[in-house]
Amino acid sequence: VGDELRPTSIPAIERCRGAGVQTVMITGDKKETAVAIATQLGLLGKHFVGDHHSGDEESVIIDISNGEQEDVVLTSDTLSVLSDHQLSQLLPRLRVVARALPTDKSRLVRVAQAEGHVVGMTGDGVNDSAALKVSDVGFAMGSAVEVAKEAADIVILDDHFASIADAILYGRTIFHSIRKFIIFQSTVNLASLLIVFLGPFLGFDFPLSLIQLLWVNLVMDTLAALAYGGEPANGRYMDAKPLSRSAPIISFYMWSSIISSGVFIFFLSVFFLTHDYVRAQFVTEESFLTAYFCFFIFSTNFNSLNVRTKSLSLFANIKENMNFVIVLLFIFAVQISFTYVGGEWLKTTALTSSEWTVVLLLSLLVIPLDLLRKRYYSSLKKFCKPTLSRYVQMSAPPRRR
């Protein structure tokens, strides 16, 4: 007689394995029962090593440590005779802990965290509360006691392991959305910073008024957050290995995007504001400054397409995030309307079709620039990564012990 396995559990474990997440079964059942269930779930391979109840504690440790690639099955008795160092060496191959005590869960969390791992723990009983509390992410079952739910970070209402896999996917999606928002916002900030500080040395002051800057700030913060916050859960995120605990939030890819696009928008701004040919395309000074206002918003808005995906196809999966499309079109529509209404407050004026053409062509240049960066990113990374790695090592948080 045995508990029936849920059909969603096996593919969920496989998804977690593909995502670089190691799943360990910690159960109070006896070893034979735990091994049988773990084998059915695909947690254990055909060959595994564990204790043999020989009564000799030293031989138990040696038998387990002699396995090279085999999965490891431990019991609480064996776990108690292993030092933290020996246990940490077995962690990458550990699959099952049988006859586990509540203290075993807490110890496994502590040892794994000391090795720099991000640890999630599941539980449903009062005795699981300590492990749920000390883990990085505690998952309580929907059927768990209230004490366990209070100690946990997330409650799995349907008690399905597949929901944990979904939580990982959505967590990674949110993390990537935050990174996209950081890239977009930092690019605008970098371009603005360079214009403000270097503009006077190049013969021009910052051309945007305070009210125009409020609109730029609204685009950069609130509307961008709405656009990127609606990104759908992308299955390819589960094909990536998890990041190290000490990995910086701003990756080399992000730095390359922020610096290249920010500096490029700055140079385009310098060209726009200082080149006689560009100025000659506009009838009045007011239309010239209005055009620059539109150019700055358009270029950052087009850059949001670059930021949204690492693919060379800017519209990949864009239909799955209609919020992004709506926000993008809304910004364009409002910016164009600003040139026809509200001129007194915004210091703008209507532009002719030829003036709009200049604005559009110059602002669109940010797209091919970033496509080139994506195309040759691997070569750029090989060339620049050693220098940035030294900076990352200095700025990364200390390893958790």
Side-chain angles (χ1 to χ4, degrees):
V1 179
D3 293 333
E4 183 180 352
L5 298 180
R6 288 178 173 146
T8 57
S9 298
I10 296 175
I13 289 174
E14 197 59 39
R15 285 174 67 198
C16 288
R17 184 180 290 117
V21 178
Q22 178 182 346
T23 305
V24 180
M25 178 193 292
I26 305 175
T27 176
D29 292 336
K30 65 179 184 177
K31 177 183 171 183
E32 291 76 14
T33 304
V35 166
I37 295 174
T39 302
Q40 293 178 58
L41 288 171
L43 274 177
L44 277 176
K46 294 181 180 179
H47 305 287
F48 61 90
V49 292
D51 60 76
H52 304 292
H53 302 286
S54 63
D56 185 348
E57 292 182 352
E58 284 298 321
S59 66
V60 165
I61 298 172
I62 293 171
D63 285 347
I64 294 174
S65 301
N66 277 344
E68 293 180 358
Q69 300 297 329
E70 293 93 339
D71 297 333
V72 173
V73 178
L74 298 178
T75 61
S76 182
D77 291 337
T78 308
L79 197 64
S80 65
V81 300
L82 292 172
S83 67
D84 286 354
H85 175 69
Q86 290 169 324
L87 180 57
S88 66
Q89 290 181 315
L90 292 177
L91 274 180
R93 297 185 286 127
L94 183 61
R95 298 293 178 266
V96 176
V97 179
R99 290 295 188 189
L101 300 174
T103 53
D104 294 332
K105 279 191 168 186
S106 298
R107 184 188 175 199
L108 284 166
V109 170
R110 176 173 53 80
V111 171
Q113 287 176 335
E115 289 300 303
H117 299 296
V118 178
V119 184
M121 180 63 71
T122 63
D124 58 4
V126 174
N127 291 335
D128 297 323
S129 300
L132 291 172
K133 193 71 176 177
V134 297
S135 63
D136 294 290
V137 184
F139 294 95
M141 299 298 104
S143 57
V145 298
E146 288 302 316
V147 175
K149 291 180 180 178
E150 288 294 326
D153 301 293
I154 298 173
V155 177
I156 306 298
L157 295 176
D158 59 6
D159 289 3
H160 283 199
F161 184 80
S163 295
I164 297 179
D166 290 336
I168 295 172
L169 172 59
Y170 284 107
R172 291 187 175 189
T173 300
I174 292 170
F175 179 73
H176 280 278
S177 295
I178 292 172
R179 279 187 153 183
K180 292 172 185 178
F181 176 73
I182 291 173
I183 294 174
F184 177 80
Q185 190 178 58
S186 299
T187 301
V188 179
N189 282 332
L190 177 60
S192 301
L193 188 70
L194 291 173
I195 293 168
V196 169
F197 279 95
L198 298 182
F201 297 100
L202 298 171
F204 61 87
D205 294 322
F206 193 63
L208 301 182
S209 67
L210 289 177
I211 297 181
Q212 289 171 349
L213 281 175
L214 288 176
W215 169 240
V216 171
N217 190 66
L218 183 63
V219 170
M220 185 176 66
D221 294 336
T222 308
L223 295 178
L226 290 173
Y228 293 118
E231 283 293 305
N234 195 325
R236 66 180 176 83
Y237 293 151
M238 292 296 279
D239 296 330
K241 298 302 179 184
L243 294 175
S244 166
R245 181 189 291 276
S246 61
I249 292 180
I250 303 182
S251 64
F252 180 79
Y253 178 89
M254 295 170 69
W255 279 119
S256 68
S257 179
I258 293 168
I259 294 173
S260 62
S261 297
V263 172
F264 187 67
I265 291 174
F266 163 69
F267 279 120
L268 284 177
S269 297
V270 172
F271 176 76
F272 194 107
L273 294 168
T274 61
H275 204 283
D276 292 336
Y277 176 78
V278 176
R279 186 176 288 269
Q281 305 305 308
F282 302 94
V283 179
T284 64
E285 182 69 13
E286 192 176 19
S287 64
F288 174 71
L289 293 176
T290 299
Y292 178 77
F293 178 37
C294 294
F295 157 78
F296 192 82
I297 292 295
F298 280 19
S299 60
T300 55
N301 214 26
F302 284 131
N303 190 52
S304 66
L305 288 168
N306 294 328
V307 173
R308 196 190 67 84
T309 178
K310 291 183 178 181
S311 170
L312 293 176
S313 174
L314 298 182
F315 301 103
N317 301 318
I318 198 168
K319 291 182 180 179
E320 297 179 21
N321 183 10
M322 291 309 296
N323 280 345
F324 181 87
V325 178
I326 292 170
V327 169
L328 196 72
L329 295 176
F330 174 76
I331 294 171
F332 279 124
V334 172
Q335 183 61 37
I336 293 170
S337 68
F338 279 164
T339 64
Y340 295 99
V341 296
E344 268 185 58
W345 301 279
L346 292 166
K347 308 298 182 186
T348 58
T349 186
L351 300 179
T352 65
S353 58
S354 62
E355 290 170 341
W356 275 118
T357 302
V358 174
V359 170
L360 192 61
L361 289 177
L362 284 176
S363 57
L364 276 169
L365 289 176
V366 73
I367 291 179
L369 179 279
D370 197 67
L371 290 177
L372 284 173
R373 180 193 63 85
K374 291 176 181 177
R375 174 65 179 83
Y376 296 103
Y377 170 71
S378 298
S379 301
L380 179 67
K381 186 176 181 180
K382 289 179 182 178
F383 180 75
C384 299
K385 189 71 180 286
T387 301
L388 188 60
S389 295
R390 289 193 290 270
Y391 166 76
V392 169
Q393 289 173 0
M394 290 188 292
S395 62
R399 187 176 179 180
R400 186 170 181 171
R401 284 292 180 187

